[in-house]
């Protein structure tokens, strides 16, 4: 099988964005990020409401209809091919698309917190606060995914279920170049 697209999911802060850029360098494929689409919507929506964090916006102001629409657009892009998609719900985007290589990124929460301590949203927070925030994001995304897509997956949907993916990588063990090389090797091996 020739894989014509890659859909990447993973734990919050596991390195999806970094890996997408690296894979794009190797493959020269277009990239798309559902999270970035929603962050851009939040920036516009939050004008005059700086107290509304992205997480609050996601949990309380993004409608199911918006999520379905953006995920459906991502699916259409995967079908066209030559795309690397960064999506929390990648198994939803790629369901039934055998030409899409599904990848899950994991990493211990302490390492994810360390990597993110200098990001704007975490400035002034200690490691325990960042860990708590990452864990809350993970639980909110899990809850939302189950509500929206549980029926599609036979009653339960947990984006962290590694059985939904072709490959799982612990990003604490490899550098992004090594991750990209491993993915490309796996894609070629499974053809």
């Amino acid at each position: 099988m020739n894989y014509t697209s890659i859909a990447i999911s993973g734990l919050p802060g596991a390195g999806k964005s970094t890996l997408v850029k690296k894979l794009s360098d190797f493959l020269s494929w277009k990239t798309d990020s559902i999270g970035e689409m929603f962050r851009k919507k939040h920036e516009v929506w939050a004008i005059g409401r700086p107290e509304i964090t992205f997480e609050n916006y996601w949990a309380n102001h993004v409608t199911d209809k918006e999520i379905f629409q953006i995920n459906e657009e991502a699916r259409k892009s995967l079908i066209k091919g030559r795309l690397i998609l960064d999506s929390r719900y990648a198994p939803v985007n790629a369901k039934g698309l055998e030409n899409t290589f599904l990848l899950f990124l994991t990493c211990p929460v302490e390492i994810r917190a360390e990597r993110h301590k200098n990001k704007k949203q975490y400035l002034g927070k200690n490691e325990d606060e960042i860990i708590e925030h990452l864990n809350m994001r993970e639980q909110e995304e899990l809850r939302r995914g189950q509500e929206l897509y549980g029926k599609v997956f036979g009653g339960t949907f947990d984006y962290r279920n590694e059985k939904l993916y072709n490959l799982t990588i612990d990003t604490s063990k490899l550098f992004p170049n090594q991750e990209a090389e491993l993915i490309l090797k796996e894609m070629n091996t499974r053809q």
Side-chain angles (χ1 to χ4, degrees), residues 11-29:
L11 299 174
K16 292 185 308 299
S17 299
T18 301
L19 182 57
V20 165
K21 289 175 189 162
K22 189 57 63 182
L23 283 169
S24 180
D25 290 344
F26 277 91
L27 295 169
S28 299
W29 288 0

Side-chain angles (χ1 to χ4, degrees), residues 149-167:
Y149 300 111
K151 291 178 185 173
V152 175
F153 285 84
T156 62
F157 174 66
D158 183 341
Y159 74 90
R160 305 168 304 177
N161 180 353
E162 295 179 17
K163 292 178 183 176
L164 298 172
Y165 301 89
N166 298 104
L167 179 66

Side-chain angles (χ1 to χ4, degrees), residues 8-18 39 86-90 103-113 115-116 119 122 133-139 141-142 158-162 165 168-172:
I8 303 174
S9 184
L11 299 174
K16 292 185 308 299
S17 299
T18 301
R39 280 183 183 78
D86 171 354
S87 171
R88 183 75 60 221
Y89 306 133
L103 175 67
F104 184 76
L105 302 183
T106 187
C107 182
V109 70
E110 296 80 12
I111 294 173
R112 291 185 280 138
R115 289 177 180 170
H116 286 76
K119 287 201 170 192
Y122 298 119
H133 185 261
L134 290 170
N135 286 332
M136 285 176 21
R137 274 185 59 196
E138 181 178 339
Q139 290 307 307
E141 290 162 354
L142 178 63
D158 183 341
Y159 74 90
R160 305 168 304 177
N161 180 353
E162 295 179 17
Y165 301 89
T168 296
I169 294 177
D170 181 340
T171 63
S172 69

Side-chain angles (χ1 to χ4, degrees), residues 13-159:
K16 292 185 308 299
S17 299
T18 301
L19 182 57
V20 165
K21 289 175 189 162
K22 189 57 63 182
L23 283 169
S24 180
D25 290 344
F26 277 91
L27 295 169
S28 299
W29 288 0
K30 180 183 168 194
T31 64
D32 226 340
S33 169
I34 289 180
E36 276 307 306
M37 289 180 211
F38 279 114
R39 280 183 183 78
K40 288 177 183 173
K41 285 178 162 251
H42 169 253
E43 285 176 14
V44 172
W45 186 90
I47 293 173
R49 302 175 239 195
E51 72 283 358
I52 304 291
T53 64
F54 175 74
E55 287 75 20
N56 180 288
Y57 169 74
W58 168 258
N60 300 304
H61 302 283
V62 172
T63 67
D64 292 352
K65 182 178 179 182
E66 288 175 289
I67 295 170
F68 282 122
Q69 286 174 334
I70 283 183
N71 278 287
E72 186 54 33
E73 289 303 314
R75 181 177 175 74
K76 289 175 185 174
S77 295
L78 284 173
I79 291 168
K80 290 177 186 174
R82 300 182 57 81
L83 176 72
I84 304 164
L85 176 67
D86 171 354
S87 171
R88 183 75 60 221
Y89 306 133
V92 171
N93 307 116
K95 188 163 178 60
L97 303 180
E98 294 180 12
N99 291 14
T100 298
F101 189 82
L102 278 162
L103 175 67
F104 184 76
L105 302 183
T106 187
C107 182
V109 70
E110 296 80 12
I111 294 173
R112 291 185 280 138
E114 175 66 25
R115 289 177 180 170
H116 286 76
K117 68 182 179 185
N118 293 323
K119 287 201 170 192
K120 180 180 159 185
Q121 70 197 69
Y122 298 119
L123 291 178
K125 295 184 187 278
N126 65 38
E127 183 178 340
D128 289 337
E129 291 170 318
I130 297 171
I131 288 172
E132 180 181 350
H133 185 261
L134 290 170
N135 286 332
M136 285 176 21
R137 274 185 59 196
E138 181 178 339
Q139 290 307 307
E140 174 56 26
E141 290 162 354
L142 178 63
R143 179 196 66 76
R144 196 84 183 251
Q146 174 59 33
E147 284 179 6
L148 295 172
Y149 300 111
K151 291 178 185 173
V152 175
F153 285 84
T156 62
F157 174 66
D158 183 341
Y159 74 90

